[in-house]
Amino acid sequence: MIKNVHLKNIKCFKEQDIKLGNLTLLTGLNGVGKSTVIQSLLLLRQSYIQGAMKNKGLSLNGDLLYLGTGQDLLYEKAENEELEIRLELESSPPLFWSFGYDKDSDLLPILETSFENEEVTLFSENFQYLSAERLGPRTYFNRSSFEVKQQNSLGIHGEYTTHYLSVHQNDPIPNQFLKHPQGVADTLKAQVDAWLSIITPGTRLDISDYNDMDITSLRYRFAGDRDLSNSFRATNVGFGLTYTLPVLVALLVAKPNSILLIENPEAHLHPKGQAIVGRLMALASLGGVQIITETHSDHVLNGIRLAVHDKEISPGNISINFFSKKNRIGAVDHLVDNLLIDQNGRIEDWPEDFFDEWDKILDKLIF
């Protein structure tokens, strides 16, 4: 598990530590550095996949993300042209990289590194990244045996989720903390149906393969008191169901010693569904899965807080990082506050702009 990320001269950060836990929330206003943390981890993995991690450099452009050139990555007011990333790990020595600067290049040379151990989870096959820009409802979804069967991937946009479900629907889920009691079995398909039924009552997936065209279709049925409805195209059903499906599947299939990076898991979900996703992430983290998520949802936060309150997860497993910035003469300071949550799910030190907009607006309406 990664316990801490240290960044120096990277994007908006002059020098910053970000404390991680089994479940880490990155929250705050737009443009304050949340995505930079996830991007830094993705840059390391992308460079490793491209074979550049040991002696070539930091690859800024690739399949995971496309950041441009060195001038897009270097901190604007850097006092020297050297970038650093340091990872503190739970059970092995820290990993450190120092990179040189080339404003026109998308490969920044390695100046110094301690990287030797390739068994770090960030570089293993037990990795999943879901971008904020996921695929919504489609009449069909593409298939990829390489991504699904060899890479165990849903695709960074969740584009292979339907194919993954088709292949692995009868596999038992590896994390028993996520087993829903109303699921007809502990298989992936049964558990997806069970959790989706809480988000939207009675929901059932209907997946069909068209091997001759290399596509998979996704349709939905809805259970009533006595029978199932006809199946409906994903394009004719609520957008949020298909949009959240990759998040749900990623959580259910994550094995122990996995790492999940998930951006905006709440997107297009109603408040109850967002709270359920928060609780699901908390439960998934109990099974040895490290989850790092960027969220703007107080409902996701409250779902996690309720899991703590109900003694489903220890507050020590959760790291809540609030990102903000402070203007001063000639500069802007980007700040990260690690907020403590107690055993009752309460956060005592509640900073300005941390999910407090409801209270602010209510005060104006009342007074």
Side-chain angles (χ1 to χ4, degrees):
M1 185 177 80
I2 303 172
K3 296 172 59 179
N4 190 82
V5 177
H6 178 82
L7 303 178
K8 181 178 180 181
N9 284 340
I10 294 181
K11 297 189 77 172
C12 65
F13 293 121
K14 178 180 180 180
E15 192 158 8
Q16 183 65 56
D17 283 289
I18 301 94
K19 182 180 179 181
L20 306 186
N22 298 73
L23 172 57
T24 301
L25 266 67
L26 311 176
T27 72
L29 301 179
N30 298 110
V32 290
K34 303 184 300 298
S35 296
T36 299
V37 178
I38 290 179
Q39 288 171 353
S40 298
L41 297 175
L42 291 175
L43 283 173
L44 293 177
R45 180 173 176 85
Q46 179 167 274
S47 303
Y48 174 78
I49 292 172
Q50 294 181 3
M53 194 75 273
K54 285 188 175 180
N55 51 29
K56 293 182 181 179
L58 189 69
S59 177
L60 307 191
N61 300 322
D63 292 336
L64 291 177
L65 75 169
Y66 195 100
L67 291 186
T69 63
Q71 65 179 346
D72 297 299
L73 193 65
L74 182 69
Y75 173 60
E76 185 178 18
K77 296 186 179 298
E79 296 175 358
N80 60 70
E81 295 180 343
E82 185 176 326
L83 301 88
E84 295 180 7
I85 302 177
R86 181 184 180 91
L87 306 180
E88 293 183 18
L89 307 174
E90 185 175 43
S91 56
S92 56
L95 295 179
F96 169 84
W97 293 268
S98 174
F99 303 100
Y101 175 68
D102 184 337
K103 80 181 191 68
D104 297 319
S105 176
D106 65 353
L107 184 66
L108 303 186
I110 292 178
L111 303 178
E112 184 182 357
T113 182
S114 65
F115 177 63
E116 293 181 357
N117 181 11
E118 298 185 12
E119 299 302 317
V120 177
T121 305
L122 182 63
F123 306 124
S124 76
E125 63 180 13
N126 294 326
F127 172 90
Q128 196 78 244
Y129 164 56
L130 290 177
S131 164
E133 189 180 1
R134 296 187 289 277
L135 242 62
R138 299 288 191 276
T139 54
Y140 67 88
F141 295 85
N142 291 329
R143 296 158 50 93
S144 173
S145 292
F146 174 75
E147 291 290 339
V148 169
K149 296 181 180 180
Q150 295 188 37
Q151 299 296 307
N152 199 43
S153 173
L154 305 177
I156 66 173
H157 305 295
E159 63 267 36
Y160 303 121
T161 302
T162 304
H163 185 202
Y164 191 99
L165 280 167
S166 174
V167 172
H168 297 286
Q169 60 183 312
N170 294 319
D171 295 351
I173 62 171
N175 189 345
Q176 292 304 301
F177 289 103
L178 292 177
K179 185 176 179 180
H180 195 284
Q182 295 181 9
V184 297
D186 65 354
T187 60
L188 177 59
K189 171 66 163 53
Q191 290 298 312
V192 168
D193 283 344
W195 285 106
L196 275 181
S197 287
I198 299 180
I199 295 173
T200 297
T203 305
R204 300 286 187 274
L205 298 182
D206 191 352
I207 299 169
S208 299
D209 286 315
Y210 297 91
N211 295 328
D212 55 337
M213 294 186 289
D214 287 329
I215 60 174
T216 303
S217 76
L218 171 65
R219 301 173 73 94
Y220 293 91
R221 294 178 183 268
F222 298 93
D225 293 336
R226 298 182 180 180
D227 53 16
L228 281 173
S229 71
N230 294 329
S231 65
F232 299 94
R233 295 173 184 264
T235 50
N236 291 332
V237 176
F239 197 96
L241 283 176
T242 303
Y243 209 78
T244 198
L245 188 59
V247 175
L248 178 55
V249 173
L251 293 171
L252 288 173
V253 304
K255 300 175 182 178
N257 299 316
S258 294
I259 182 168
L260 303 182
L261 307 183
I262 304 176
E263 295 176 340
N264 303 118
E266 72 274 9
H268 298 291
L269 273 181
H270 59 85
K272 178 182 177 181
Q274 294 178 34
I276 291 168
V277 167
R279 177 171 174 247
L280 267 171
M281 290 194 295
L283 295 176
S285 71
L286 291 175
V289 181
Q290 184 171 26
I291 303 167
I292 303 169
T293 185
E294 177 187 353
T295 181
H296 294 282
S297 171
D298 52 350
H299 303 296
V300 168
L301 171 67
N302 289 335
I304 295 168
R305 294 173 65 197
L306 281 174
V308 173
H309 177 272
D310 295 341
K311 312 305 179 188
E312 293 179 314
I313 185 173
S314 166
N317 288 0
I318 298 168
S319 180
I320 302 173
N321 293 285
F322 176 65
F323 292 67
S324 61
K325 60 183 179 181
K326 181 183 294 184
N327 294 317
R328 58 185 176 86
I329 298 176
V332 176
D333 293 328
H334 284 76
L335 310 173
V336 181
D337 294 317
N338 188 257
L339 308 181
L340 297 179
I341 182 171
D342 68 18
Q343 61 184 1
N344 295 311
R346 296 172 183 160
I347 300 171
E348 294 186 5
D349 186 11
W350 201 279
E352 180 79 10
D353 292 328
F354 178 68
F355 297 121
D356 58 1
E357 193 62 24
W358 171 263
D359 292 331
K360 291 178 179 179
I361 291 176
L362 194 61
D363 285 342
K364 292 181 179 179
L365 290 173
I366 293 176
F367 301 106

